[in-house]
Amino acid sequence: MLNEKRLTGTIGAEIDGADLSGPITDNLAAALRDALSRHHVIFVRGQHITLEQQKALTASFGTILQVPYVEPLEGEPDVIRVFKAADEPGGVFGGGWHTDFSFIERPPAGSVLNATTTPPHGGDTIWASQSEAWNALPDPLKSLLIGRDAIHVGKPYGVKWSPPVKERAGASMNLVRGDPGADEERGHPAVLRHPVTGRLMLFLNPTYVSRLDGMTEEESRPVLDAVQAHATRPEFCCRFRWTPGTVAIWDNLATQHYAVNDYSGHDRLMYRTTFAGPTPRELAANRTDMEAEPAIA
Ligand code: SIN
């Protein structure tokens, strides 16, 4: 029997009573999936699982997905090592609001992050619920976004938008840079309908979205900036303090997240796996979905 402790009124829960090092039984998998769909991100402390156990857990949510532009752990093509060394200058992998690999055709439905070394202070991660953000979005912005595509590009990995060398994050992580293929634009619906709960959710993020379809970058910028400021309001966020052995699982299409870069002088090491689900196109929300939504008080 799992015990859920909500972290905030809108997003995130710590789960007690789950042993992720044993077999992931059908009952356990169903309970975790149910908790994930309600809380968007769930945390299980004190697990200290192996990579084999992490992969088994990940596969219980969906087919394990390999993502481009980040070299996987040697001998482990399904696993990314998320590491920042104590003496490493510059940014941190994931250190800006984003949805993991939103620019690919089938972005991860979810991600699993398994913390092994955590700094004595700092290194938290923040998640923002994009269904809560949608609910509270002013009607004119809802009308502008519903049924419209946003254009995503692999900005950090390409040529056109790639950050200057000294600002680049993830020096310990062997990111593939300068690939013109990463500049390719891909349209995804700006508003999705959650496959389990049916709730509508924003699907935009500043790391990968360059503009709205039918608008130039200049025309899109004020709209995207306003929506982003709204989408990450503290009321829609939870901030998680990691301890070694914690496993986090998040709904990648229903959230944005942000790795806080404030632990200089300390190592931080985590292992990330991702699982597949429907494409954003398959989850596109339309005006009828919007009008059918119950009013939120
Ligand atoms: C990520 O963006 O997947 C990494 C998050 C983190 O390191 O906290």
Side-chain angles (χ1 to χ4, degrees):
M1 179 67 185
L2 303 186
N3 184 28
E4 297 175 6
K5 196 168 69 194
R6 291 177 68 167
L7 298 188
T8 73
T10 53
I11 178 170
E14 282 196 33
I15 307 291
D16 288 333
D19 175 7
L20 305 182
S21 67
I24 308 296
T25 61
D26 290 349
N27 279 351
L28 176 57
L32 291 171
R33 282 198 299 264
D34 174 56
L36 183 63
S37 68
R38 285 180 289 109
H39 300 296
H40 309 304
V41 53
I42 55 177
F43 306 94
V44 194
R45 292 195 189 268
Q47 298 298 304
H48 304 279
I49 57 174
T50 64
L51 294 181
E52 286 313 306
Q53 290 162 343
Q54 179 172 352
K55 287 187 285 182
L57 170 68
T58 308
S60 75
F61 284 87
T63 305
I64 295 187
L65 195 66
Q66 295 177 5
V67 290
Y69 302 117
V70 185
E71 278 181 25
L73 187 63
E74 205 178 335
E76 289 286 356
D78 297 334
V79 181
I80 291 178
R81 180 172 171 270
V82 178
F83 178 57
K84 183 162 186 265
D87 59 355
E88 188 176 318
V92 63
F93 181 69
W97 283 109
H98 66 287
T99 296
D100 290 336
F101 288 90
S102 69
F103 60 95
I104 62 179
E105 185 183 353
R106 189 180 297 278
S111 301
V112 178
L113 198 56
N114 170 16
T116 60
T117 305
T118 58
H121 51 256
D124 297 355
T125 309
I126 308 174
W127 282 264
S129 162
Q130 297 308 286
S131 46
E132 293 294 328
W134 168 261
N135 282 343
L137 195 68
D139 284 343
L141 285 173
K142 283 187 171 175
S143 287
L144 182 74
L145 295 175
I146 195 80
R148 187 186 286 266
D149 271 11
I151 307 301
H152 298 237
V153 285
K155 289 191 259 178
Y157 313 106
V159 177
K160 188 172 169 197
W161 289 272
S162 191
V165 173
K166 68 177 184 345
E167 287 169 27
R168 287 181 180 178
S172 296
M173 296 199 43
N174 295 332
L175 301 185
V176 177
R177 305 283 194 180
D179 180 343
D183 292 333
E184 210 172 289
E185 297 191 322
R186 184 180 306 283
H188 285 310
V191 187
L192 308 183
R193 193 164 179 279
H194 193 279
V196 177
T197 64
R199 294 180 70 187
L200 301 202
M201 51 203 188
L202 288 170
F203 188 62
L204 297 167
N205 71 88
T207 299
Y208 297 124
V209 171
S210 59
R211 64 185 174 86
L212 294 167
D213 192 31
M215 296 169 73
T216 64
E217 282 182 41
E218 291 69 30
E219 289 163 347
S220 304
R221 183 56 37 219
V223 179
L224 292 174
D225 287 350
V227 173
Q228 181 61 20
H230 166 87
T232 53
R233 273 172 44 190
E235 290 81 0
F236 313 141
C237 291
C238 70
R239 177 171 179 144
F240 188 71
R241 175 91 200 96
W242 294 94
T243 42
T246 301
V247 176
I249 306 160
W250 64 91
D251 183 328
N252 190 49
L253 302 186
T255 55
Q256 294 186 44
H257 60 282
Y258 183 113
V260 180
N261 183 17
D262 63 348
Y263 53 95
S264 172
H266 302 281
D267 286 348
R268 181 178 184 272
L269 173 61
M270 312 208 167
Y271 293 97
R272 197 181 85 181
T273 43
T274 46
F275 53 91
T279 63
R281 184 67 56 206
E282 289 163 341
L283 301 178
N286 57 36
R287 203 162 278 277
T288 312
D289 295 321
M290 184 172 95
E291 281 153 11
E293 271 203 309
I296 305 288

